[in-house]
Structures are given as C-alpha cells and as structure tokens.
Amino acid sequence: MEILLDIGNRRIKWAKGIDMPKLMSGKYTPAQQENLYHVINFATGDAASELERHFRAEPKPDSVWASCPGGSDAIPEIEKVCRVCWNIQPHFVAPADYESGIKNGYLDTRQLGVDRWLAMIAARHFIPDRPMLVIDAGTAITIDFINSTGLFEGGMIIPGLMTIIESLNQRAGLPSVDADTTGKEHITLQNRDTHSAIANGALHTAVSAIESAIAQYKKEFDNHLKIVITGGDAALINRISKYRITELPALPLIGLFLVTRDHDC
C-alpha cells in the first residue's frame, strides 16, 4: 500500500493508493468522498501535527509519494512526519519530459509546477485523444492546453480568488474576506456591502479571464475542445461560467497515483 500526498499552498490532500480507483470511478456520494481522500487546511493550525495525527492511525505503508511546490517549507515537515510515524523517506515527484501519456512542451521543465503537471496527467487519463484545457482553481488559477496527441503546449497563470482578495486587503486596505462563504451565499453584480462586493468581484474577475481563454481556444477547436476544472474553487467558478466545464475533483492527487502506478510502485 502506498500513501499519496498532494501539498498545496493552503491545504494538504492525502489518500491511500488502494482508494484511488474508487475516487477515479466517480461513483461515490459526497459523504463517501470524505473517506476517499482527506483534506488538512493550513488555516486551521499546525498542519504537520494534524497530518501526524492522521498517519499514526494508519499502518505502515510500503511507500509514500508526494507532490509539493519546489522550495516549499513543507518538505522538511513532511519528511519529519513520515520518519516519526513510519521511518519512511517520502518520494517527491517532479515534472518530466514525458510521463503517463503527456509530453512536456515547457521550455524549462524545472519551472513547471508539479501540481499542474499531475493535473494534466490525470485529465488526459480521463479524456484521451482530445484537445483539452485543464483549469486548476486554487491559490493561483492555471489554464493549461494539451493537444490531441498529448503535447502540453503551455498555458496561463492568473491569481486565484483568495489571492485577488488578499491583494485588495494588502494593497488597497480593503477588508479581508472569506471567498468560500461570501461568494457562495449570494452571487450577484449588485452587492450592497463591501465584503460581498470584494468576494463577487474576485469571482467575476477570475471567471472572465477563464472564459476569455476558453473563447480563444474554441475559435480554433470548436466542439472538439474539452474543458475540465479542478481545485478548491472549481465548483464556485463553474456555477457562473457560461461554458460547460467538466468538474473533476483532486486531479493532482489522481495524477500522482497514475505516476506511481506507471512506475510499478
């Protein structure tokens, strides 16, 4: 059995490899999803201690595989937790020139975020042989294009909802807002309080950028283009987008599983 860790800027997702086929099938209820992978939010306190609490309840795995932004302060913490709980050194994956059906077209492979790479691998697994936009809506929103042969041709990075909100707080002195709650309560252009105006302004800004990218690609590929979205703000963005976007949860985590499977781990 392997343990899989997707370490982001705001949260950690982890799962057991044996549970991934069920997650990939999509045949589960929201309640069952909570048992297929676990989420630890950095905002709730000491994420490393919380992860250690989770891991101490699990038997020792054969291996631990992790994805983590390059240079992240979380790497030594994850190594320590795995060592304390199981005396295991985790394997940290990185983008490659070719992996699991995707050819990397980035000029410098080392610059590509591993979360983007893994999300594309997972998306390609679900929808092969189609030109595709893969949107990951997290702290940053990435919009990446894969052609029908599996070549990643590049993409865009724009601020995520909370990044926009935090920028307004830090640079313009506006209040800090929780986009997760404010935006979901009432999505409108006619906001009558500052918190709602900020949250909905951030949401519509992000959606406008995403739809602009989609429109340009649709000019070339029309109905052949497939669009998928993942990440913490995927559902909120999908709620108001005028385009039909397939929502696939936990794509980087699934991509990590596919990489370990291809390596016979």
Side-chain angles (χ1 to χ4, degrees):
M1 181 192 76
E2 69 267 14
I3 292 290
L4 308 170
L5 279 163
D6 170 27
I7 303 151
N9 293 302
R10 297 182 183 276
R11 57 180 64 92
I12 297 172
K13 295 187 183 76
W14 74 270
K16 303 172 190 176
I18 57 174
D19 290 330
M20 296 308 290
K22 178 74 171 180
L23 177 63
M24 293 167 66
S25 75
K27 298 177 181 178
Y28 51 82
T29 66
Q32 290 172 328
Q33 179 177 315
E34 294 180 3
N35 294 320
L36 294 176
Y37 68 89
H38 309 272
V39 180
I40 298 172
N41 291 305
F42 292 150
T44 59
D46 187 344
S49 295
E50 181 68 8
L51 185 64
E52 181 177 337
R53 185 182 68 81
H54 283 227
F55 281 2
R56 285 191 180 279
E58 300 295 334
K60 182 177 180 178
D62 297 316
S63 58
V64 177
W65 289 79
S67 68
C68 188
S72 171
D73 293 338
I75 291 177
E77 293 289 339
I78 297 301
E79 290 177 329
K80 180 181 177 181
V81 169
C82 292
R83 184 172 61 251
V84 167
C85 292
W86 300 313
N87 194 28
I88 284 180
Q89 174 65 32
H91 304 278
F92 291 92
V93 301
D97 292 330
Y98 181 87
E99 188 89 63
S100 304
I102 299 287
K103 180 175 175 56
N104 195 336
Y106 235 42
L107 297 177
D108 185 348
T109 301
R110 296 169 299 179
Q111 289 187 358
L112 180 64
V114 66
D115 51 344
R116 296 169 66 188
W117 181 239
L118 294 174
M120 287 187 280
I121 287 172
R124 176 76 174 177
H125 171 82
F126 287 118
I127 309 168
D129 306 322
R130 291 276 296 272
M132 183 188 312
L133 282 180
V134 182
I135 303 165
D136 192 344
T139 304
I141 296 173
T142 56
I143 307 169
D144 292 317
F145 177 70
I146 309 167
N147 70 18
S148 59
T149 69
L151 173 63
F152 164 49
E153 295 189 7
M156 297 196 308
I157 304 173
I158 62 174
L161 303 189
M162 283 307 302
T163 304
I164 296 172
I165 290 169
E166 288 171 356
S167 177
L168 289 172
N169 171 251
Q170 295 167 9
R171 302 298 294 269
L174 292 175
S176 181
V177 175
D178 184 352
D180 286 341
T181 56
T182 307
K184 289 177 182 176
E185 289 172 0
H186 190 52
I187 297 176
T188 179
L189 296 177
Q190 297 170 316
N191 298 279
R192 298 190 179 188
D193 66 271
T194 301
H195 283 70
S196 296
I198 293 170
N200 281 295
L203 175 59
H204 283 83
T205 297
V207 170
S208 293
I210 290 169
E211 290 183 341
S212 175
I214 292 172
Q216 292 182 58
Y217 279 105
K218 273 190 167 291
K219 286 181 182 178
E220 182 173 355
F221 298 102
D222 195 29
N223 292 330
H224 295 291
L225 181 71
K226 190 68 177 178
I227 311 162
V228 302
I229 189 168
T230 194
D233 291 323
L236 194 54
I237 288 169
N238 221 2
R239 183 174 166 187
I240 69 167
S241 175
K242 65 183 179 182
Y243 291 106
R244 176 180 292 180
I245 305 177
T246 301
E247 188 176 341
L248 297 173
L251 281 185
L253 195 62
I254 292 171
L256 181 60
F257 171 71
L258 293 171
V259 168
T260 64
R261 189 183 66 177
D262 288 350
H263 288 201
D264 294 324
C265 299

